[in-house]
Amino acid sequence: MNRVVLLKTQLDEAAKFAKSKTYRHKRLAVILLDNFIEIQLSNLIKEKFLWNGDLTVNNKKYSEDEKKNILKYHEALLKASVCELFINVDEQKMISFCHDIRNNLYHKTNEDELLVNVALKTLHKIISFRQPQWKAGKMGIITGSRSVNDLHTLGKIRKAHDSNTDEGWEYFLSKYFNFVDKREKNSSMSLEDYLMNKIISTRKALKFLRTNNREIFVPKTKNWDYNDYFMAHFFNDAKEKDIVEITKLHRADRENYDLLGALDNLHSTFASTWKYKKESRLDSLEKSIRTIGKAPINKALEKYISLKDEVNIILEVFTKAESHLAGAIQYAKDVAKGK
């Protein structure tokens, strides 16, 4: 089948999934659109490998190892595509962000729905702008057969070889690839909401820890502050790794191993290198997050990427502490009832 028809069919089907109200369909839309961009860039790059703008001149710009690397690794493909001007640096970052979301959807089957919607809007923006330039992914070379009709394009230019034009692609994109609802929040505002919701959840967890007599149910945390929860969380991670290493020892060595002494040394080393965490950091993060919604999507993504790991770690620390305290409270209630 003609390549143009295949490409338009993929975008058409992706748009139908993207318009759906169900998460499982939106998931498929992200996977299809991410794949579409990868297919197009891969084919455009392959053309560059073969021809350097002249069908008689072999392109020696890339070594064989570089070619294999570019076609094998997504990051290398995007970098080469920027060098060849198929995309720009901002688009590279946006595509990389969407590809990470796609990987979670493909390999883990799930991702936060808000981020899925951001990915859909971002991919729509890039494809809508670039596809009339990319066309069939053949660097402007017309591909097609007069025997294949393109039912997605203008009635007066139904022939496949005619539909691979600026006019044909612009018509198709406006008519069939139009799933973004402009009444919804834009991607930048959605990213702001995503991070702010995590800050709000963190503050709720902190409030729970402070208003439920934790000194009764978890006595060791009686005098703990914000920093202590952080330190305990990361020390537990380090301790678990140390215990895992101990289990790898030969049995005889393991029996002679001073576990308590080793853990004391581990804690001393850990404490000596620990950097104190201030609760005021939450205010600073919130201030930074509040600027994301008004930024253009490329800048919003940069800010989001720079903050998301820290915000996620903070939320993890305090939701785990909240869960631990809630469990201790429930256990005390069960004991009191004689369960």
Side-chain angles (χ1 to χ4, degrees):
M1 184 180 288
N2 175 263
R3 179 175 172 76
V4 174
V5 175
L6 287 175
L7 291 172
K8 289 184 178 180
T9 299
Q10 183 162 343
L11 290 182
D12 189 11
E13 293 302 312
K16 290 174 183 175
F17 283 131
K19 289 177 182 178
S20 173
K21 300 298 182 181
T22 61
Y23 175 83
R24 66 182 184 275
H25 289 146
K26 291 182 178 181
R27 170 183 174 271
L28 292 173
V30 172
I31 293 172
L32 282 171
L33 294 180
D34 175 83
N35 173 258
F36 178 89
I37 289 178
E38 186 170 0
I39 286 172
Q40 286 291 73
L41 294 180
S42 293
N43 277 282
L44 288 166
I45 287 292
K46 286 176 184 176
E47 289 288 305
K48 278 288 185 178
F49 291 166
L50 294 174
W51 318 111
N52 189 23
D54 183 337
L55 295 181
T56 63
V57 180
N58 193 30
N59 183 6
K60 301 297 184 181
K61 184 175 181 179
Y62 301 97
S63 68
E64 290 304 314
D65 285 342
E66 286 173 329
K67 292 177 183 178
K68 291 177 182 178
N69 191 58
I70 288 169
L71 295 178
K72 184 177 181 180
Y73 297 106
H74 192 262
E75 184 178 350
L77 173 64
L78 296 186
K79 185 176 180 180
S81 296
V82 171
C83 292
E84 298 296 348
L85 304 181
F86 298 140
I87 56 175
N88 60 37
V89 174
D90 287 337
E91 290 166 334
Q92 176 188 14
K93 294 175 182 177
M94 290 189 281
I95 293 170
S96 182
F97 163 80
C98 294
H99 188 68
D100 288 342
I101 292 176
R102 172 267 180 198
N103 283 341
N104 285 337
L105 293 171
Y106 189 78
H107 297 293
K108 302 176 185 177
T109 74
N110 66 337
E111 177 63 276
D112 191 291
E113 187 167 357
L114 186 149
L115 290 183
V116 169
N117 288 330
V118 170
L120 286 173
K121 292 174 183 177
T122 303
L123 292 169
H124 176 272
K125 178 183 178 70
I126 294 169
I127 293 171
S128 295
F129 175 70
R130 287 293 180 179
Q131 183 51 31
Q133 302 166 37
W134 295 342
K135 296 184 174 63
K138 294 292 181 180
M139 294 176 61
I141 300 173
I142 295 176
T143 61
S145 167
R146 291 180 180 274
S147 63
V148 181
N149 285 337
D150 178 4
L151 301 179
H152 286 106
T153 196
L154 294 167
K156 64 181 181 180
I157 53 169
R158 283 285 181 86
K159 296 298 183 182
H161 70 285
D162 291 329
S163 69
N164 190 36
T165 61
D166 289 359
E167 183 184 17
W169 277 108
E170 287 167 2
Y171 172 82
F172 165 80
L173 292 168
S174 65
K175 184 174 178 62
Y176 298 99
F177 194 63
N178 58 354
F179 59 83
V180 173
D181 187 345
K182 295 181 180 180
R183 295 170 297 179
E184 296 179 352
K185 288 184 178 180
N186 63 32
S187 295
S188 297
M189 294 177 66
S190 295
L191 289 172
E192 179 180 310
D193 287 349
Y194 179 79
L195 292 180
M196 274 308 306
N197 286 339
K198 290 178 180 287
I199 295 294
I200 291 169
S201 295
T202 298
R203 293 193 188 280
K204 286 181 178 178
L206 276 165
K207 183 178 180 181
F208 180 84
L209 292 170
R210 288 167 176 160
T211 58
N212 284 278
N213 299 314
R214 72 171 187 265
E215 69 278 5
I216 297 174
F217 302 102
V218 189
K220 71 176 183 179
T221 66
K222 179 180 179 179
N223 297 313
W224 279 18
D225 62 7
Y226 180 90
N227 175 72
D228 292 311
Y229 283 104
F230 254 97
M231 189 171 176
H233 176 85
F234 284 99
F235 177 69
N236 284 337
D237 283 350
K239 182 172 65 176
E240 287 175 8
K241 291 176 183 177
D242 195 62
I243 291 173
V244 168
E245 289 302 314
I246 293 171
T247 62
K248 294 178 181 179
L249 293 173
H250 186 273
R251 182 177 177 180
D253 295 330
R254 203 159 58 230
E255 290 174 351
N256 296 323
Y257 190 83
D258 182 6
L259 177 59
L260 292 178
L263 290 178
D264 284 341
N265 290 333
L266 176 65
H267 188 271
S268 296
T269 302
F270 184 84
S272 67
T273 59
W274 178 255
K275 292 183 179 180
Y276 190 87
K277 308 295 183 186
K278 296 181 179 180
E279 188 172 345
S280 59
R281 178 58 180 161
L282 286 176
D283 297 326
S284 300
L285 284 170
E286 183 171 341
K287 185 176 179 180
S288 293
I289 292 168
R290 293 292 188 189
T291 66
I292 293 176
K294 296 179 181 179
I297 183 57
N298 58 306
K299 296 299 181 183
L301 276 174
E302 284 183 16
K303 179 68 75 172
Y304 166 82
I305 291 169
S306 71
L307 298 176
K308 68 180 179 69
D309 288 343
E310 183 180 2
V311 171
N312 284 332
I313 288 171
I314 293 173
L315 178 61
E316 180 183 356
V317 168
F318 290 103
T319 52
K320 280 188 175 181
E322 178 186 28
S323 178
H324 185 219
L325 176 56
I329 292 172
Q330 186 59 51
Y331 175 76
K333 289 180 178 178
D334 290 343
V335 170
K337 293 177 181 179
K339 292 183 177 181

